[in-house]
Amino acid sequence: MCTHRPSCPAAESTAAESTAAEFPEARVGTAHVVAAHPEQGWNLLCDGTVVFDDSGELLPDGRVVAPRRTPAGRLAMAA
């Protein structure tokens, strides 16, 4: 599916998974967006991954990467 040069790593590769786990924003940096749907909250990447605005992902093989959410205790509260 990826046609740019150099090609991005496959969604199933361990490098892509470890990078995405440590730096969720890096997932979009390694694979290009081929279809953007901000009104629906998702983007299709050239490696076949669907990335959602809440940081969750749907991999081409059907596996789900859960969103990485901030625990409620870490959220700032207005006075």
Side-chain angles (χ1 to χ4, degrees), residues 25-50:
E25 64 281 358
R27 165 57 95 184
V28 176
T30 58
H32 295 176
V33 175
V34 294
H37 293 278
E39 72 283 358
Q40 296 176 356
W42 62 273
N43 294 308
L44 174 64
L45 304 183
C46 64
D47 64 0
T49 301
V50 177

Side-chain angles (χ1 to χ4, degrees), residues 6 12-13 20 23-24 26 28 31 38 41-44 46-47 49 52-53 57-58 61 66 74-75:
E12 296 82 19
S13 74
F23 306 101
V28 176
W42 62 273
N43 294 308
L44 174 64
C46 64
D47 64 0
T49 301
F52 298 96
D53 286 351
E57 299 176 15
L58 180 60
D61 63 2
R74 290 185 170 175
L75 296 175

